[in-house]
Amino acid sequence: MECQECHQRPATVHLTKVINGDKTEVHVCEQCAKEKGYGESSFSLNDLLSGLFNFDHASSLGNGTAPSSTPPAQQLQCPKCGITYQEFTRIGKFGCAECYKTFDDKLNPIFRRVHSGNTEHNGKIPKREGGNLHLRKEVEQKKHLLHQLIEKEEFEEAAKVRDQIRKLDKQLQNEQGGDG
Amino acid sequence: MMSLQNFMNEAISPWMKEEGPDSDIVLSSRIRLARNFAQVTFPIIAKEEDLKPILDFFDQEFAHQSFKEYKNFELVPMNNLKPIEKRVLVEKHLISPHLAEQSDHSAALISENEQISVMINEEDHLRIQLYYPGFQLEQALKRASELDDWLEEKINYAFDEKRGYLTACPTNVGTGMRASVMMHLPALAMTQQVNRMIPAINQLGLVVRGIYGEGSEALGNIFQISNQITLGKSEDDIVEDLQSVVRQLIDQERRARDTLMQRSGLQLEDRVFRSYGVLKNSRIIESKEAAKCLSDVRLGIDLGFIKNISNNILNELMILTQPGFLQQYAQETLTPDQRDIRRASLIRERIQLEKQ
């Protein structure tokens, strides 16, 4: 099989990508794999994903052993639990909450793939650990509402919302002051 | 030996005996929340000194407590259980196979009616599970969230403003929530429509699995449908999206049943009664065949072919004829061949009970 990128060298790197059930196969030579970014990180990423979802074709990744050049990213290590980035990609699991901070720079592409392009939380906020996030989210929502009301020229309602925002802002300032 | 009636009373979770909305097609609704303690390493790499305090804490704070209508939580440590007992809990969906494999410092906190089970030191420190009969996802979410708040009064959760609830696996981060429904879709399966629908359902960020979770077969035409995405969408939105797909599946299944009845009513009736005959008469039956026949009989009850049999016979017998339960009922370890014999006699006995 020839490389589908350069159509010259034989394809030695075979990838199966599955995104939300859509399966695409990539057959390229080592050089093109590096150029097109099918390098180390995307191998471990795919490896990780296939491990996560128990895809049958996980084995199809196996034959092209990942190019062995190890970028420094692989040496990141979580100061709390000691897990390295490489271990994380191999087992597909974080070791502790701190890992999320340690590997933060590397996580967006992973989350995007797993969660259909999403990288940030948009749901429930716990009462204790959430701090004043509740208040801040509420202010955000009210500001959004305020814009909508102004656009619709519902000024009376808008004035009410504006006052609510002021009150919340004050509350926020007080809380932040109180926390030191 | 215990009578089947008594055994069943204990074996079938009290909540399962209740009927819920659309329970002719949706057997149960479940919400699962993954949570972790902020300062403790996750169970996969944690040491004894990390995990034991969590278990002790639950024993002190939550064992024998009640939350709303869920009374008298019992803490069940995994290392106190025999393999068969663990298997029974897995078959009742009260614990995961993963938890059953962990022994030291793992446990489940289970409410008396078995609607709530909090798994402790599974892949995450906590896996909060709540079941409702029938199609009641919204209600389940509301209660699960209240239960989560109640636990949080005493726990500092691992939470990050940007990423949400932090979990061991990247597939659970954000809401940490997996919402799922168990559906009986015999007409869609018979007409080969399910297989065509699955890719479309996957496209919507939902997953279709068999009755015992990941990788398991859709035994008895029972399918589990759940959300794949946990990050970037709110809990309400996730549940709403799942609900709308479930509603469509309910409609499609009802339509497929109507069509089958109109076009091949007699063949359908024949199939139902043949399966009924097998269940009533067989002396040896393996689990796959039992599941298929149970699905047919349940459909026959829904369509009015079979009367005088309660419609939760499928839900009950799907659980009671699993290896763990069969062995618990027999009070001994059984080989697969012996199980097939026991399974047949248990089903016959169960059908006999209906006639009394």
Side-chain angles (χ1 to χ4, degrees):
Chain A
M1 190 186 291
E2 65 170 26
C3 169
Q4 62 188 49
E5 287 293 342
C6 64
H7 300 288
Q8 287 170 10
R9 289 173 290 262
T12 51
V13 176
H14 307 282
L15 275 172
T16 306
K17 287 197 279 190
V18 180
I19 299 167
N20 276 348
D22 277 340
K23 189 169 133 181
T24 38
E25 283 183 322
V26 181
H27 306 282
V28 289
C29 65
E30 207 139 324
Q31 282 90 330
C32 289
K34 268 184 198 154
E35 274 170 34
K36 298 281 167 189
Y38 297 124
E40 173 78 28
S41 67
S42 93
F43 267 106
S44 39
L45 187 62
N46 273 282
D47 229 336
L48 164 68
L49 288 175
S50 47
L52 294 177
F53 298 126
N54 283 336
F55 284 139
D56 296 329
H57 20 277
S59 53
S60 66
L61 299 167
N63 71 349
T65 340
S68 60
S69 60
T70 313
Q74 305 299 322
Q75 283 149 21
L76 274 176
Q77 188 175 22
C78 177
K80 183 164 163 63
C81 69
I83 208 172
T84 64
Y85 182 72
Q86 204 159 19
E87 282 171 311
F88 161 66
T89 54
R90 189 172 50 79
I91 57 174
K93 305 272 155 67
F94 293 101
C96 68
E98 192 63 28
C99 290
Y100 279 86
K101 290 216 168 67
T102 313
F103 309 138
D104 189 54
D105 288 347
K106 311 267 156 224
L107 297 179
N108 280 352
I110 297 176
F111 290 152
R112 248 181 244 128
R113 288 203 184 194
V114 179
H115 298 287
S116 285
N118 300 325
T119 57
E120 294 195 17
H121 180 53
N122 204 3
K124 185 174 178 177
I125 301 159
K127 292 199 174 65
R128 284 153 68 104
E129 288 295 306
N132 59 18
L133 190 57
H134 282 283
L135 275 178
R136 279 181 283 142
K137 286 254 162 162
E138 204 180 331
V139 171
E140 237 170 74
Q141 277 169 3
K142 296 248 153 137
K143 280 185 178 161
H144 186 68
L145 181 65
L146 183 62
H147 279 293
Q148 285 177 327
L149 289 170
I150 291 171
E151 261 170 38
K152 284 191 272 179
E153 304 191 358
E154 291 175 23
F155 297 115
E156 229 172 283
E157 225 8 71
K160 275 189 213 158
V161 174
R162 183 204 55 205
D163 291 344
Q164 287 167 352
I165 294 173
R166 279 192 189 149
K167 217 169 138 188
L168 288 170
D169 267 336
K170 227 181 214 165
Q171 212 177 321
L172 264 174
Q173 275 168 7
N174 286 346
E175 277 194 12
Q176 269 160 357
D179 287 349
Chain B
M1 190 165 138
M2 202 194 262
S3 78
L4 180 63
Q5 185 74 66
N6 286 340
F7 178 70
M8 263 172 35
N9 285 344
E10 283 178 26
I12 303 297
S13 301
W15 69 267
M16 282 186 90
K17 294 171 192 157
E18 290 163 33
E19 278 212 8
D22 297 300
S23 58
D24 56 327
I25 292 172
V26 182
L27 308 179
S28 63
S29 305
R30 181 191 75 148
I31 297 287
R32 187 221 70 194
L33 302 171
R35 299 288 186 256
N36 283 288
F37 284 62
Q39 303 301 332
V40 189
T41 20
F42 297 156
I44 20 163
I45 59 162
K47 297 183 185 71
E48 184 180 339
E49 63 258 36
D50 298 319
L51 298 180
K52 194 173 177 298
I54 292 182
L55 194 58
D56 292 345
F57 173 79
F58 260 77
D59 195 16
Q60 278 161 30
E61 297 292 334
F62 299 112
H64 313 298
Q65 297 292 306
S66 297
F67 164 72
K68 297 196 185 258
E69 66 265 41
Y70 312 108
K71 305 275 185 274
N72 204 7
F73 283 107
E74 190 190 345
L75 190 81
V76 184
M78 286 303 114
N79 56 8
N80 289 2
L81 298 179
K82 296 187 202 108
I84 289 181
E85 292 171 319
K86 285 190 200 174
R87 192 152 183 176
V88 163
L89 291 180
V90 172
E91 288 166 5
K92 288 173 97 167
H93 297 280
L94 286 171
I95 64 170
S96 63
H98 184 78
L99 191 81
E101 283 165 24
Q102 320 296 309
S103 266
D104 300 334
H105 318 300
S106 288
L109 184 76
I110 301 173
S111 72
E112 204 166 59
N113 70 353
E114 300 181 350
Q115 209 172 346
I116 291 174
S117 164
V118 181
M119 289 185 264
I120 300 156
N121 294 331
E122 209 245 19
E123 181 182 289
D124 294 298
H125 294 136
L126 303 180
R127 288 282 177 95
I128 303 164
Q129 289 198 109
L130 199 145
Y131 287 95
Y132 266 84
F135 187 24
Q136 304 191 69
L137 273 177
E138 263 171 62
Q139 182 61 19
L141 173 60
K142 186 169 167 279
R143 269 287 183 271
S145 191
E146 287 165 353
L147 175 66
D148 181 42
D149 293 341
W150 181 66
L151 294 171
E152 200 217 332
E153 283 172 17
K154 293 178 176 163
I155 301 168
N156 286 323
Y157 281 152
F159 179 83
D160 176 78
E161 219 177 292
K162 188 164 77 167
R163 309 294 193 189
Y165 290 94
L166 305 177
T167 55
C169 186
T171 54
N172 293 318
V173 72
T175 58
M177 182 182 79
R178 196 78 62 206
S180 62
V181 287
M182 209 70 96
M183 301 184 82
H184 182 224
L185 303 172
L188 288 178
M190 234 179 264
T191 53
Q192 319 275 317
Q193 292 181 72
V194 173
N195 291 339
R196 273 186 280 136
M197 288 171 168
I198 290 175
I201 296 172
N202 290 344
Q203 297 263 316
L204 297 166
L206 303 175
V207 198
V208 185
R209 298 192 176 105
I211 179 172
Y212 283 100
E214 229 164 298
S216 72
E217 244 181 295
L219 269 184
N221 298 320
I222 297 175
F223 296 85
Q224 191 192 104
I225 299 156
S226 59
N227 62 300
Q228 176 78 269
I229 294 160
T230 57
L231 185 65
K233 280 163 75 174
S234 72
E235 289 82 354
D236 288 335
D237 287 347
I238 292 170
V239 162
E240 215 177 284
D241 288 352
L242 178 58
Q243 266 179 327
S244 76
V245 169
V246 171
R247 248 180 247 122
Q248 286 180 45
L249 281 169
I250 293 173
D251 285 350
Q252 299 278 356
E253 169 67 22
R254 293 219 168 103
R255 222 170 291 161
R257 288 181 186 187
D258 286 347
T259 313
L260 276 174
M261 279 293 272
Q262 280 163 16
R263 293 204 190 140
S264 31
L266 188 63
Q267 283 82 353
L268 197 59
E269 190 175 352
D270 179 67
R271 177 180 168 136
V272 164
F273 279 103
R274 277 169 186 272
S275 289
Y276 190 27
V278 168
L279 293 180
K280 268 200 295 197
N281 296 302
S282 62
R283 281 1 191 209
I284 301 169
I285 193 165
E286 49 139 357
S287 61
K288 242 188 192 171
E289 189 184 7
K292 181 207 159 277
C293 293
L294 284 168
S295 169
D296 286 343
V297 166
R298 169 67 198 251
L299 178 65
I301 297 167
D302 290 340
L303 295 175
F305 290 135
I306 297 176
K307 300 190 172 70
N308 313 323
I309 288 199
S310 60
N311 54 10
N312 51 25
I313 193 163
L314 169 75
N315 321 17
E316 276 179 27
L317 282 177
M318 280 299 285
I319 292 179
L320 291 174
T321 57
Q322 294 295 318
F325 269 111
L326 286 174
Q327 296 180 77
Q328 207 190 35
Y329 186 40
Q331 300 278 316
E332 59 180 325
T333 314
L334 304 170
T335 64
D337 290 350
Q338 290 171 321
R339 276 185 237 150
D340 291 349
I341 298 168
R342 292 279 180 162
R343 182 176 296 114
S345 68
L346 189 146
I347 291 172
R348 290 202 316 273
E349 248 183 283
R350 173 66 183 82
I351 291 175
Q352 207 55 44
L353 274 181
E354 291 283 332
K355 295 189 175 148
Q356 287 165 7

